[in-house]
Amino acid sequence: MSHSVNVSPEARAKDAAFLQERAASGKEKYIVRHSKQARFTHGITVIACILLAISGLFVFVPQLAQAVGADTVFAIRMSHRVLGFIFVLVPLISAIMAPKGVAHIFKNLFAKWNSDDKKWMLLFFPYLFMAKWIHMPDQDEVKSGQRFADGMLWVAGALMGITGLILVAGSTIVDLGTGYGVVLLLHDLGFLLIAVFGLAHIFLGGGIFQPYRGTYKLMFGNGLVSEADALYHWGHWARKEIASGKNVVEKDAK
């Protein structure tokens, strides 16, 4: 089966020479993919989100609530509220501490798609099943598909946070009346979006899919990506980082 994206013999020769030179040096280069603050924020938010999903089932699904009893549901409900505040406050505090980082994230999310981005999306599903035979186009710091999925996670997270705060206020401070049902429906919609796009995010980001094996270390490790992996997954971004050298670190080859 032929490659879906042609690579010229000249480019292959340059890549081979580059890899030989790197191997001869006895050094390996890594690029800083995620800062310590980004990894810390991501980790806490992910844990809070998973626990919110589990506790929310017992709070909002009557059959589960009846199965565990009123006292247990009360404890779960209180923990759900605490987790909700963590889910909202940690990203907000992190954003206040690093506003340039937030601006950078949204700049990537709304970056204009080029021909490589469109081709990557067209090849993505065949790539899931035929990764050995399909050469994917180079990508920038955030892949085109990831921009859409991450954007939906941001929207769903914001929807869950806002409606969650309204639901807490509606049960403790003010009477929402019939509006309570509408807000609850939106809260459920946010949960559905997070469940769908969150599972896709975990499938790829967790390294379950072979070409992404080990990528969980980018967020739950030291935040470094090897030069080879960076060039494979985010070619355009990797070349810019390597050329600037600002976020590149060098280690002895294992």
Side-chain angles (χ1 to χ4, degrees):
M1 183 179 292
S2 60
H3 290 282
S4 295
V5 178
N6 293 323
V7 180
S8 68
E10 293 79 7
R12 289 182 183 277
K14 288 181 179 179
D15 288 344
F18 173 79
L19 292 174
Q20 289 176 359
E21 180 184 351
R22 180 69 66 231
S25 70
K27 298 285 185 179
E28 289 184 356
K29 282 189 176 182
Y30 294 84
I31 303 173
V32 178
R33 179 74 179 170
H34 299 297
S35 68
K36 185 178 292 185
Q37 180 180 334
R39 301 197 307 273
F40 184 78
T41 303
H42 179 269
I44 292 179
T45 306
V46 165
I47 293 171
C49 185
I50 293 172
L51 293 176
L52 278 168
I54 296 172
S55 60
L57 291 174
F58 289 92
V59 173
F60 296 109
V61 178
Q63 292 81 357
L64 291 176
Q66 291 173 5
V68 298
D71 292 339
T72 302
V73 170
F74 177 79
I76 293 175
R77 185 184 299 275
M78 293 303 104
S79 69
H80 190 79
R81 293 179 178 181
V82 172
L83 290 166
F85 280 111
I86 293 173
F87 181 77
V88 172
L89 286 177
V90 169
L92 284 178
I93 293 172
S94 185
I96 293 171
M97 292 174 61
K100 290 184 179 179
V102 177
H104 184 72
I105 289 172
F106 279 93
K107 180 181 178 181
N108 281 331
L109 289 179
F110 292 100
K112 185 178 180 180
W113 285 29
N114 56 34
S115 59
D116 282 344
D117 292 324
K118 297 172 184 177
K119 188 177 293 183
W120 193 93
M121 284 298 294
L122 288 173
L123 292 173
F124 178 66
F125 284 106
Y127 177 63
L128 286 175
F129 303 100
M130 299 181 291
K132 289 183 179 180
W133 298 282
I134 295 180
H135 183 91
M136 297 294 276
D138 284 346
Q139 290 285 277
D140 285 309
E141 185 173 357
V142 181
K143 295 179 180 180
S144 50
Q146 186 183 352
R147 289 177 216 164
F148 175 72
D150 285 2
M152 292 304 296
L153 283 175
W154 275 88
V155 170
L159 181 62
M160 291 288 285
I162 294 170
T163 54
L165 290 173
I166 295 174
L167 289 173
V168 171
S171 62
T172 57
I173 302 174
V174 296
D175 183 9
L176 296 176
T178 56
Y180 186 90
V182 175
V183 177
L184 182 59
L185 178 62
L186 291 174
H187 199 66
D188 291 341
L189 175 61
F191 171 76
L192 178 62
L193 291 174
I194 284 183
V196 172
F197 290 99
L199 287 174
H201 187 78
I202 291 171
F203 179 71
L204 297 178
I208 298 172
F209 176 43
Q210 174 56 42
Y212 290 82
R213 192 63 54 82
T215 50
Y216 70 91
K217 297 176 182 177
L218 300 182
M219 272 299 186
F220 295 99
N222 58 13
L224 301 179
V225 59
S226 70
E227 186 179 48
D229 284 344
L231 286 167
Y232 177 81
H233 290 293
W234 307 280
H236 293 313
W237 169 77
R239 292 186 182 90
K240 293 175 187 175
E241 292 293 335
I242 294 169
S244 71
K246 182 180 177 182
N247 296 313
V248 177
V249 296
E250 200 169 71
K251 296 182 178 182
D252 292 329
K254 296 180 180 179

